[in-house]
C-alpha cells in the first residue's frame, strides 16, 4: 500500500495549501483538477484516501463520488468531501452520495491533517504528529 493521498480540487490556492500541509506530514500528494482525471488517478494509484472538492467544473463532486463507488477496486478507500457549503442538507447529500465524511472550507491549517486522518489508517507507524 501507498502513502498517497489524492486531492481532486480545481482551485489552485486550495490545492497548494492542502498539498503543503500534507507533504509536511510525510504524505505523497497526487492532484487532479477535475473529476474525470481524479477518477483515473484513483484507479491508477489506489490512494489511502481521496479528498474531493464538491464544486468542480463539468462533473461535480456528487457525480465523482457516485462514479468512484462503481469501481469495486476502490472499495474501502475513504472519500472525504471538502465543502464550502454550510447547509446541513448539502452535507447529508454528499454523505448519501458516498462520501465517508467531509471537512469544511476554508480549511483550518492547524487542524486539517488531524481532521482528515480520522478517516483513514496510515501505513507507517513512525510518522510524527
Ligand atoms: Mn472547486
Amino acid at each position: 500500500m501507498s502513502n498517497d493521498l489524492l486531492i481532486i480540487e480545481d482551485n489552485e490556492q486550495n490545492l497548494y495549501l492542502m498539498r503543503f500541509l500534507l507533504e509536511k506530514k510525510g504524505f505523497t500528494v497526487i492532484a487532479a483538477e477535475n473529476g474525470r482525471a481524479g477518477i483515473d488517478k484513483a484507479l491508477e494509484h489506489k490512494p489511502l484516501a481521496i479528498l474531493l472538492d464538491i464544486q468542480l467544473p463539468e462533473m461535480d463532486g456528487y457525480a465523482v463520488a457516485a462514479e468512484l463507488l462503481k469501481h469495486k477496486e476502490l472499495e474501502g478507500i475513504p472519500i472525504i468531501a471538502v465543502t464550502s457549503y454550510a447547509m446541513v442538507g448539502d452535507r447529508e447529500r454528499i454523505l448519501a452520495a458516498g462520501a465517508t465524511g467531509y471537512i469544511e472550507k476554508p480549511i483550518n491549517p492547524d487542524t486539517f491533517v488531524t481532521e482528515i486522518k480520522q478517516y483513514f489508517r496510515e501505513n507507517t507507524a513512525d510518522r510524527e504528529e
Side-chain angles (χ1 to χ4, degrees):
M1 275 178 80
S2 68
N3 281 306
D4 298 345
L5 291 175
L6 171 62
I7 303 177
I8 306 174
E9 166 67 81
D10 64 322
N11 182 288
E12 251 178 69
Q13 284 175 303
N14 290 340
L15 174 62
Y16 180 89
L17 179 58
M18 289 192 279
R19 182 196 285 279
F20 173 78
L21 295 169
L22 290 166
E23 288 182 346
K24 203 165 71 170
K25 294 292 184 185
F27 292 104
T28 300
V29 171
I30 297 153
E33 62 182 22
N34 62 66
R36 185 53 59 198
I39 292 159
D40 289 345
K41 289 188 177 182
L43 291 165
E44 182 186 345
H45 295 276
K46 310 258 179 14
L48 278 178
I50 299 167
L51 285 124
L52 176 61
D53 181 28
I54 299 307
Q55 290 173 299
L56 290 166
E58 292 158 47
M59 202 179 178
D60 69 13
Y62 301 105
V64 175
E67 182 73 26
L68 288 169
L69 290 181
K70 288 183 193 166
H71 294 275
K72 192 104 180 137
E73 62 269 50
L74 300 179
E75 208 172 84
I77 298 177
I79 300 169
I80 306 161
V82 183
T83 173
S84 54
Y85 295 161
M87 286 167 61
V88 171
D90 292 315
R91 291 175 187 169
E92 287 169 351
R93 193 178 157 209
I94 190 61
L95 296 177
T100 312
Y102 59 82
I103 63 166
E104 278 178 32
K105 272 198 274 197
I107 64 165
N108 179 343
D110 296 328
T111 58
F112 171 68
V113 176
T114 307
E115 278 182 78
I116 67 155
K117 275 165 70 172
Q118 68 179 300
Y119 296 112
F120 62 88
R121 198 183 291 267
E122 291 174 76
N123 290 311
T124 53
D126 59 351
R127 187 169 292 130
E128 286 174 40
E129 195 43 60

